[in-house]
Amino acid sequence: MIKFSLKKFFRSFSKKEKITLSIAIVVFFIAVFGKSIFIKLVKLPMQPKPGGEITEGILAQTDLEVEKSINNLVNFSLLYFDENMTIQNGLASSYEIVDGGKKYIFTLKNGINAKDLAIIFNTHTKIKNNSIKAESTNDNKLQINLEKLYTPIIYYFTEPIYPFGPYKISSKTSESIELIRNDRFALHTPHIEKIKIKFYRNLSNLEKSYRSKEIDTALTAFDQKSSNKYILELQRRSVLFFNLEQIQDKNVRTKLKNNQNIGDNIELSLTVLDTPKLLEKAQNIKEQFAPLGATVNVQAVSQTDFEDLVLKDRLYQALLIGVDFGRDPDPYPFWHSSNIVGEGQNYSQYFNKKTDRMLEDARLEIDNKKRQETYSQVENIISGDSPAILYDKEKLEYYVDKKIKGIKINQGLTESDRFSNIWDWYIK
C-alpha cells in the first residue's frame, strides 16, 4: 500500500508553484463559500465599510456650547493628541526645531496651504511676555518664530484651530447641524459619510431620545443593552489650595491631604465658587475633614466677588476651585513665586527657590523627556510640602450604539475629544 504524505506532497513543489497553489486555494474558497465566510474561516479582520450616518445628541443651551462640543469634527491641528494623550502628526507630516528652539518648521501634508495656516495661527495664538509669529516660507512650509525660547510651545500646536477637520458643516438650523465627511482630510477620508448633531435644552429630553433610538450617541444618557459605554477622562479636577500665610503648619496640611487625624481640633474656612459641582464637593470635604479634627465652614462666593475680592487679595484660608490644566502640562503658573500676587494662579502663595529655578529651566529645555523628568521632580517636592489637595480628574460617560465600531476613547482635554479618532469610526 502507498502511504500519502501531505508534507512530502508540498515539499515536492518549487517556491513559485507553492505560491500559485495558495492563490488557487484562496480563489476556490471564495468561489465556493463566499468572501465573508472565507474571511471568518481564516480569521482575517473585516475592512471598515465606508458610508452610513450617525446621529449625536448634545445637551446645550447656547451656540457656544455646541461649537465647543463639535470642535474636533470641523477643525484640526498641526499636531494632535491621540486617545492616550500622545502627540501625533496632524496637518503636518513632519517638523524640525532649529535656532536653539526659537524656530519650528512644519512640512505640511498635501492640499494644506501654509499661508492660510499662518494667518489663522497669528490671529489665534498669543504667549504672555513672548513675541510669536508664523510665516510661510513656501506653499507647504510653515515656520513659527519665537522671540524667546519657550519649549511648552509644542502643546500650542495641538490646538484644533484650523478649519480642515474630518467633517464639514453642510446645513444648520436652530435644532440641529448636519455634517458631511471631508474627502480630503489630512489623515484619510473618514469612513462614516454623515453625522447629524441634535441639540437638547434639558437632560430629560436627551435621555428620552436616546432610549427611543432617535440618536445613536450621547454624553450623560442612560445606559442600554444596545449601547457601549466609554469613559473620557479630562484634564480637569477640583483642587483645594491652602493659603500658606494662614495655614502654616505643614503637618496639618499633610495629614488632611492623607486623610489622617490631625490631633488638635481646628476651624477651617473653605471659600468656594458658587457652582453646583463645587458646592457639592465642598460639602463632601466638610464631611471628610470632620472626623479628622477639622471643622470646615463653607463660604460660597459669586463669580464677581471671586475674581475681584478673593483672588486679587487672597482673602481665604483655603480655596476650592475647578482647574482645567489644559493641553500644556507646565506647572509654572500654579507654583512659581512670580504668580503669587495679583491675577497669578499661585493660589497657595507657595514659594520655594529650588522649584522656582527648576520651573524656569524646564521652559528652556528642548528635550521633552528631560523636561518631563524635571516636572516630576517638582511635583514630588511640592507634594511633600502639601500646599494643595488634588482630587480625581473629571470623567465623562459617553454612550454609543453597538453598531458603531472603531472607537478609541481614553483621555482628553474637552468634551469634544470623544471624537479624537472619528475618522476611524465605522458602522457595522
Side-chain angles (χ1 to χ4, degrees), residues 214-383:
E214 292 177 25
I215 56 178
D216 303 304
T217 60
L219 289 168
T220 62
F222 285 131
D223 197 359
Q224 293 190 141
K225 291 182 179 179
S226 62
S227 65
N228 288 319
K229 181 173 75 172
Y230 297 87
I231 302 297
L232 177 63
E233 183 181 84
L234 302 179
Q235 306 305 304
R236 301 176 190 163
R237 60 202 319 168
S238 300
V239 182
L240 188 155
F241 291 95
F242 293 107
N243 186 335
L244 300 191
E245 288 191 354
Q246 300 195 37
I247 312 296
Q248 298 180 357
D249 191 334
K250 184 174 77 171
N251 185 52
V252 168
R253 301 194 305 266
T254 300
K255 285 187 174 181
L256 289 176
K257 183 182 73 173
N258 295 331
N259 203 34
Q260 297 173 338
N261 195 297
I262 60 176
D264 297 326
N265 292 326
I266 64 168
E267 283 198 15
L268 179 65
S269 175
L270 178 60
T271 301
V272 58
L273 185 63
D274 189 4
T275 67
K277 282 187 177 181
L278 288 174
L279 285 172
E280 181 182 0
K281 186 65 180 178
Q283 186 61 36
N284 291 339
I285 292 171
K286 178 178 181 177
E287 294 172 2
Q288 177 191 347
F289 282 6
L292 305 181
T295 301
V296 175
N297 299 312
V298 177
Q299 295 184 339
V301 295
S302 67
Q303 184 69 48
T304 301
D305 289 342
F306 185 79
E307 293 178 351
D308 293 343
L309 301 177
V310 176
L311 294 188
K312 289 182 180 179
D313 297 324
R314 303 298 197 241
L315 300 176
Y316 51 83
Q317 280 188 304
L319 175 68
L320 179 67
I321 60 173
V323 177
D324 187 344
F325 289 93
R327 61 188 68 252
D328 181 1
D330 179 15
Y332 185 104
F334 300 99
W335 306 119
H336 194 274
S337 61
S338 63
N339 289 319
I340 285 177
V341 296
E343 297 179 357
Q345 293 177 284
N346 187 342
Y347 301 125
S348 289
Q349 303 189 81
Y350 179 78
F351 174 67
N352 184 313
K353 286 185 178 180
K354 183 177 181 180
T355 56
D356 268 4
R357 185 173 61 255
M358 294 171 72
L359 290 169
E360 291 162 7
D361 291 343
R363 287 189 162 188
L364 304 177
E365 178 56 67
I366 296 177
D367 188 314
N368 184 59
K369 184 177 180 181
K370 291 182 179 179
R371 188 167 63 252
Q372 295 301 326
E373 288 174 354
T374 300
Y375 289 159
S376 295
Q377 293 172 19
V378 169
E379 183 180 342
N380 289 335
I381 294 172
I382 293 174
S383 178

Side-chain angles (χ1 to χ4, degrees), residues 7-267:
K7 287 184 179 180
K8 289 182 179 180
F9 174 72
F10 276 107
R11 285 174 186 168
S12 66
F13 288 95
S14 67
K15 184 177 181 181
K16 186 175 181 180
E17 288 171 331
K18 288 177 182 177
I19 294 173
T20 303
L21 181 61
S22 298
I23 294 173
I25 292 172
V26 170
V27 172
F28 171 77
F29 269 95
I30 292 176
V32 175
F33 300 106
K35 184 179 178 181
S36 60
I37 300 297
F38 173 74
I39 288 172
K40 289 179 181 179
L41 286 172
V42 298
K43 297 183 180 179
L44 292 177
M46 290 286 288
Q47 291 300 312
K49 184 180 179 181
E53 178 180 341
I54 63 173
T55 302
E56 165 97 5
I58 291 179
L59 183 64
Q61 301 292 331
T62 66
D63 287 344
L64 180 59
E65 289 177 297
V66 174
E67 289 174 12
K68 286 182 178 179
S69 190
I70 68 169
N71 189 47
N72 282 16
L73 291 174
V74 297
N75 292 327
F76 205 42
S77 44
L78 290 168
L79 309 172
Y80 76 96
F81 286 121
D82 65 15
E83 72 279 1
N84 296 314
M85 297 297 289
T86 301
I87 293 179
Q88 308 286 355
N89 287 331
L91 297 175
S93 58
S94 63
Y95 69 94
E96 58 178 323
I97 306 173
V98 297
D99 194 17
K102 291 184 180 180
K103 289 182 182 179
Y104 290 74
I105 302 174
F106 292 89
T107 300
L108 305 179
K109 292 178 178 175
N110 292 337
I112 308 298
N113 188 281
K115 289 182 180 179
D116 296 337
L117 267 58
I119 293 171
I120 296 170
F121 184 89
N122 289 333
T123 301
H124 183 275
T125 308
K126 309 293 180 186
I127 298 178
K128 188 177 180 180
N129 300 323
N130 200 342
S131 174
I132 180 171
K133 185 177 181 181
E135 60 181 349
S136 56
T137 55
N138 59 45
D139 286 348
N140 80 324
K141 294 284 187 181
L142 181 70
Q143 181 172 301
I144 312 293
N145 304 305
L146 290 164
E147 178 187 15
K148 294 182 289 187
L149 181 62
Y150 181 70
T151 53
I153 185 65
I154 192 71
Y155 300 101
Y156 286 67
F157 303 141
T158 65
E159 292 190 68
I161 59 175
Y162 307 103
F164 302 105
Y167 287 85
K168 301 181 291 185
I169 295 176
S170 61
S171 64
K172 182 177 181 180
T173 70
S174 60
E175 301 297 328
S176 65
I177 292 177
E178 291 192 3
L179 304 103
I180 56 173
R181 64 186 173 198
N182 177 8
D183 293 333
R184 301 181 65 185
F185 180 56
L187 300 188
H188 66 74
T189 300
H191 301 307
I192 296 175
E193 185 175 1
K194 294 180 181 179
I195 297 177
K196 185 174 183 179
I197 309 291
K198 295 183 70 174
F199 317 144
Y200 294 85
R201 306 307 174 190
N202 62 71
L203 183 59
S204 176
N205 288 341
L206 172 63
E207 291 173 342
K208 286 178 183 177
S209 291
Y210 190 77
R211 287 197 298 270
S212 63
K213 295 193 173 182
E214 292 177 25
I215 56 178
D216 303 304
T217 60
L219 289 168
T220 62
F222 285 131
D223 197 359
Q224 293 190 141
K225 291 182 179 179
S226 62
S227 65
N228 288 319
K229 181 173 75 172
Y230 297 87
I231 302 297
L232 177 63
E233 183 181 84
L234 302 179
Q235 306 305 304
R236 301 176 190 163
R237 60 202 319 168
S238 300
V239 182
L240 188 155
F241 291 95
F242 293 107
N243 186 335
L244 300 191
E245 288 191 354
Q246 300 195 37
I247 312 296
Q248 298 180 357
D249 191 334
K250 184 174 77 171
N251 185 52
V252 168
R253 301 194 305 266
T254 300
K255 285 187 174 181
L256 289 176
K257 183 182 73 173
N258 295 331
N259 203 34
Q260 297 173 338
N261 195 297
I262 60 176
D264 297 326
N265 292 326
I266 64 168
E267 283 198 15

